[in-house]
Amino acid sequence: MTHGHLWDRLAEAKTRLDPVQSKYRVLFEDPATPEEPAKILVPDPNFMACALEGDILPPIETYQRDRDVPDGQPKEHPYAAPIPAMTEEEAIEYLIMKDIPPNVWRDYEGNRCIMRIVPVELIPSDRNFRNAWRINQETEMAA
Amino acid sequence: MSTLEVSNLNDGTTTVATTNLTNGSAKHWCFFVGTGTIAIQDSFNTASLTDHGTGNYGANLTNAMSNANQGLYGMGSTGECVDNRGTATDARIATFNASGTLTDSARCNSQLQGDLA
């Protein structure tokens, strides 16, 4: 049986899987844009459901190879065979490698902590001065 | 699951090509709360949302688009919402208040139409 196109698998999964709200968020600062505030990656509940279910999402390596494919050229990830189920923690690592620039999680060699996985309750809900948020280097939380 | 392979649909008077349905449907949508603790409420073809700062959000796609030149639509409950330099893999929107200042929006939507990768 063929595994079909990723978009078709996502559409089919949406009809049968309940969304899963992650208990994690990923804080990161991009060294390429030091003037910008800390960013927050929020996992999608339907994506998390697919990750925990398995046999829907493609290998993370296909996304990484597709970064180098020019726009308009065929991409690998929609047609790749799906991977087995992940744990929630593995799904967060998958999202980091997929949706955060490699210069944050792979290439950065500085001393400053520029990425942190935190429980959602550690993200301030008061967004006053949001554009001044940085990762606190002492407590390793947003401040 | 069975597959129906047809090129056209006919309701008795009007014929429509099935490509109209596939080409015309949204390839991504995301509804999220953009204030307080930001959270995605529901979505399709969304892997995650990046909170880039006040009124500045980006939805990262699970299945990328073929290129960056796609139809992106955004709505925010504060007033104006604009396409904000998205790529083939993310849909960036920015929400403003009536004075034109970037402002967090309690109810935000993004939607993409175009060609999938």
Side-chain angles (χ1 to χ4, degrees):
Chain A
M1 179 178 159
T2 173
H3 48 74
H5 195 279
L6 171 60
W7 201 75
D8 295 330
R9 294 198 301 274
L10 294 174
E12 189 276 329
K14 174 114 174 117
T15 65
R16 67 182 168 89
L17 300 180
D18 291 330
V20 178
Q21 287 284 1
S22 174
K23 57 180 179 284
Y24 298 111
R25 298 288 187 268
V26 183
L27 290 165
F28 66 99
E29 296 176 7
D30 189 342
T33 54
E35 74 284 359
E36 294 186 0
K39 304 169 198 298
I40 305 167
L41 188 81
V42 181
D44 178 80
N46 291 302
F47 172 90
M48 292 303 293
C50 291
L52 300 178
E53 175 73 8
D55 296 326
I56 298 169
L57 301 172
I60 187 62
E61 295 81 10
T62 61
Y63 286 109
Q64 294 170 334
R65 286 192 285 269
D66 282 342
R67 284 181 194 271
D68 301 323
V69 177
D71 268 9
Q73 298 299 308
K75 303 288 195 299
E76 181 182 356
H77 72 269
Y79 302 97
I83 59 174
M86 293 178 251
T87 63
E88 182 174 4
E89 288 73 20
E90 288 171 334
I92 296 296
E93 291 177 3
Y94 183 104
L95 277 179
I96 289 171
M97 291 188 281
K98 176 185 171 304
D99 292 338
I100 295 180
N103 64 325
V104 174
W105 55 267
R106 187 187 62 194
D107 303 333
Y108 180 68
E109 294 181 346
N111 292 325
R112 185 176 168 79
C113 171
I114 61 168
M115 190 182 77
R116 185 67 55 187
I117 302 169
V118 298
V120 63
E121 57 268 20
L122 289 188
I123 303 290
S125 59
D126 181 349
R127 288 171 61 83
N128 283 326
F129 307 108
R130 170 66 184 88
N131 286 342
W133 284 11
R134 296 283 177 197
I135 297 177
N136 188 318
Q137 299 299 298
E138 293 181 359
T139 62
E140 301 178 342
M141 291 184 290
Chain B
M1 182 165 47
S2 57
T3 301
L4 191 62
E5 292 189 23
V6 291
S7 301
N8 298 288
L9 299 174
N10 186 300
D11 66 357
T13 54
T14 307
T15 300
V16 206
T18 49
T19 51
N20 287 1
L21 303 178
T22 51
N23 291 342
S25 63
K27 303 306 188 300
H28 145 85
W29 62 268
C30 182
F31 169 60
F32 60 95
V33 174
T35 56
T37 302
I38 291 180
I40 298 172
Q41 300 299 303
D42 204 354
S43 66
F44 179 65
N45 190 21
T46 306
S48 64
L49 179 78
T50 304
D51 165 15
H52 291 270
T54 302
N56 194 344
Y57 316 99
N60 302 299
L61 310 183
T62 309
N63 192 139
M65 305 299 284
S66 64
N67 58 53
N69 304 322
Q70 311 293 337
L72 170 62
Y73 306 93
M75 293 288 287
S77 54
T78 54
E80 190 176 359
C81 180
V82 299
D83 179 343
N84 191 23
R85 299 174 286 117
T87 68
T89 58
D90 75 337
R92 290 282 298 266
I93 62 169
T95 56
F96 299 86
N97 61 17
S99 305
T101 305
L102 278 167
T103 305
D104 289 332
S105 187
R107 295 169 56 84
C108 300
N109 300 275
S110 67
Q111 185 184 113
L112 267 173
Q113 287 181 295
D115 299 325
L116 288 165

